[in-house]
Amino acid sequence: MILIIDDDLAVRASLSLLLKQAGYTTAQADSPEEALAVVRRQVPQLVLLDMNFSINTTGEDGLQLLGQLKKAHPTLPVILITGWGSINLAVDGIKGGAADFITKPWSNDYLLQAVKTALDLAKTPVEKKLGKLSRPQLDTEYDFSMIVGEDPGLLQVLRNVGQISATDASVLIEGDSGTGKELIAEAIHKNSHRKKAPFVKVNLGGISGSLFESEMFGHRRGAFTDAKADRVGRFEMANKGTIFLDEIGELDMASQVKLLRVLQDRTYEVLGDSRSRSLDIRVICATNRNLQEMVHEGKFREDLYYRINLITVKLPALRERPQDIPLLVQHFVNNLKKTYHKQELQVSSKALKWLREQPLPGNIRELKNLVERTVLVSGKSLLDVEDFQTHLQGSTRKLDEKLLPSVGAMTLDELEANMIKKSMAYYQNNVSKVAKALGVSRGSLYRRLEKFNIPYDAAE
C-alpha cells in the first residue's frame, strides 16, 4: 500500500488514480494527524508526502511529519512532493531521511519511475556480512567481465553495484583519477534492465558553459550563428538508456542549474525549438572531487548534489588494493600479447612484487600506461624490475623536500599557478599535453588558466 498525504483533495485523487492504474493500492490522508493514524493501523510500503499543511507554507509541518514517520519506521521510503519555490526545504527533507523529492507539476512517467525506484531500493537485500565474498560467486550473479580484481574491498563495492543495478536510482561514483569509475558506470548499465539501450558517456570537464545546452540538449539549424545543421543532444542519444556524466564537479554554476532542471523534471528543450520533450533515462555521475566540500564552499548546488547521489559508490584507490596489481598487470599483458602479436610476453615475479610496492598515484590508468610503455620500449619477452624502473614516470617518484617551498612561503593557489606556468612552458602551450601531465581535463585546465589570469603566451 502507498500512502498519499496531501491536504488538497484534487492532488490526492489524481495521485491515487495514477498509482491504481499502475497496479498499486493506495490510502489517503489529508493531515499529519490522519496520516499517523493510518500508519499505526498499517505500515505502508511507501509514502508520498506533501510539504505544506498550513497557510504559512513554510514546509515545517511536512518536515516534522517526515521526522515522526522516520523515527517510527526508519526504513520506510518517503518521497516528498514540493514546488520549485521550496526546493531548499526538500533538500532538508533528504537530509532528514526522505528517499527522493518530486516537484509540482509532476510528470506522471517520472513520478511512477521514482516510486518504482524507491520500492526497488527498499527491497534490495541487505549486504551480507556473514561469509566471505568471492569473485566466482559474484560472477555467477552479475556481469563484471570488464572489471579485474579480487580485493575484498573491491568485491564489496561490486556486490553493491550489482544490487543497485536492477533499480533506476541515480548513482554518484566517487574515487581518485584512474580508479575505473567509467567501468563501474558501464557495469551498472550492463546489469540493469536498460542494458540493450544506449550507454552515453559525457565528460563534463571538456564542455564549456557556452556550449553546454547545445551539447547536452541539441539544437536546431539556425538556433545561433554557427548552427548550420540540426544537432542531436547527448540526453536524446541516451533516451531509454543510461547517461554517464563524468567529472560533474567541473560543471559551472549556470550549467548546474540547467542540468538540475532536466534531472528534476526529466524534460528538456532543444535550442531553437520551444517544444518540451520527455526523457526516460538513468543518470550516473562520477567525480574525483569532494562535492560535499564544494557545496559548503558554494561551488556546487546542494539540491543538485542530493539529486545525483541517491546511491553513492566509493571506489578504492589502487594503493588500497595492492593484491590486485599483479592481476591487473597480467590482464594488460594478455591484451598486449594480442595487440602486438607477442605471445611470449611475461612479467617476472620479482617485477610483480616490486610493482605492488609502488604508490602509483595515477592508479589503474597509470599502471596500464606503465605496462604498455615498458612493453613497447624494452622490446624484451621477459620484463623485469629494471625495465619498469626505467619507464616509471616522475609522477611516482618520491619528491625531494628541498624542491618544495618552505611552509608559509607560498599559498596553494600560488603553487598551483606556478606549476601550470611551468607546464605550459615545458609543453610549449600545448593545452592537451599540459592537461594530461597535470592529471586534469582540458576544460578544468582552461578554467584554471582563467582563474590565475595566465594568457597562453605567458609561459613562452
Side-chain angles (χ1 to χ4, degrees), residues 64-78:
Q64 183 178 355
L65 178 55
L66 171 66
Q68 292 173 304
L69 291 171
K70 296 301 290 186
K71 183 178 180 181
H73 306 282
T75 61
L76 174 63
V78 178

Side-chain angles (χ1 to χ4, degrees), residues 432-443:
S432 295
K433 290 183 178 179
V434 172
K436 187 174 182 180
L438 296 177
V440 298
S441 68
R442 284 169 57 93

Side-chain angles (χ1 to χ4, degrees), residues 2-5 15 19 46-50 79 81 111 115:
I2 294 176
L3 176 60
I4 303 166
I5 310 173
L15 288 173
L19 291 168
L46 180 141
V47 172
L48 288 173
L49 173 61
D50 185 43
I79 296 178
I81 302 177
L111 186 143
V115 167

Side-chain angles (χ1 to χ4, degrees), residues 3 60 200:
L3 176 60
E60 291 301 320
V200 176

Side-chain angles (χ1 to χ4, degrees), residues 1-2 19 23-25 44-47 75-79 99 112-125 167 310:
M1 179 262 284
I2 294 176
L19 291 168
Y24 299 106
T25 57
Q45 294 172 286
L46 180 141
V47 172
T75 61
L76 174 63
V78 178
I79 296 178
L112 290 175
Q113 181 180 322
V115 167
K116 183 178 183 303
T117 297
L119 291 173
D120 286 343
L121 286 175
K123 290 187 293 186
T124 298
T167 76
L310 187 56

